[in-house]
Amino acid sequence: MEEITVLVVEPEKTPYVKTVPSGLASLQQEVGGLIEAVYLWDDDQCVIICDEEGKLKNKKYCRVLRDEDGYIYDAVAGTFLIVGLGADNFTSLESKQIQKYSKLFAVPEFFFQLDGKLAVIFPKE
């Protein structure tokens, strides 16, 4: 089976590069559940692969997602992967993509409930 190089982003940890088999079962194992592809607003060459039921399973929140203006529009629960997009499959990340997303998700964010709402602390780098 073909292997791909991905960026792994875990709750409360810095991202790291890993080589994994490209098959569905392997990707599901990496994120701990059925996979969901979350497309990034500004990049049609990469995608986030996460557990589609991460929030329902009460997994730890990992990182927020921001739009082009910097506003938070969602948060990913559980470990997720950044992978490349091919014509009909997931592909390895290029070094510039690894650098971009390692920097974007470099600082772990800390989530908690405040007055019944999700709140997040953004530590300084």
Side-chain angles (χ1 to χ4, degrees):
M1 176 173 287
E2 182 181 343
E3 292 188 328
I4 57 174
T5 301
V6 303
L7 186 68
V8 181
V9 184
E10 296 183 65
E12 302 176 4
K13 295 183 180 180
T14 56
Y16 59 92
V17 176
K18 184 174 182 181
T19 301
V20 299
S22 63
L24 177 63
S26 173
L27 297 173
Q28 288 175 327
Q29 182 177 357
E30 291 294 323
V31 301
L34 300 174
I35 64 170
E36 173 182 18
V38 177
Y39 293 86
L40 300 157
W41 64 269
D42 70 339
D43 191 341
D44 61 359
Q45 301 297 310
C46 296
V47 67
I48 291 174
I49 299 295
C50 61
D51 179 355
E52 74 176 1
E53 297 178 329
K55 292 175 186 170
L56 295 173
K57 294 176 183 175
N58 292 319
K59 288 186 174 183
K60 281 185 174 184
Y61 280 90
C62 188
R63 300 294 197 283
V64 297
L65 301 178
R66 297 176 185 271
D67 66 15
E68 63 273 12
D69 297 319
Y71 292 105
I72 297 170
Y73 66 87
D74 202 355
V76 179
T79 298
F80 66 89
L81 310 175
I82 306 286
V83 301
L85 278 176
D88 57 357
N89 59 354
F90 299 124
T91 63
S92 288
L93 293 174
E94 296 174 7
S95 61
K96 67 180 182 175
Q97 294 166 322
I98 291 170
Q99 291 173 355
K100 175 182 178 178
Y101 291 107
S102 292
K103 182 177 179 182
L104 181 65
F105 296 115
V107 179
E109 300 159 351
F110 298 94
F111 296 83
F112 60 97
Q113 293 288 325
L114 180 64
D115 199 22
K117 296 183 179 174
L118 183 65
V120 62
I121 297 174
F122 303 101
K124 292 189 178 206
E125 293 184 48

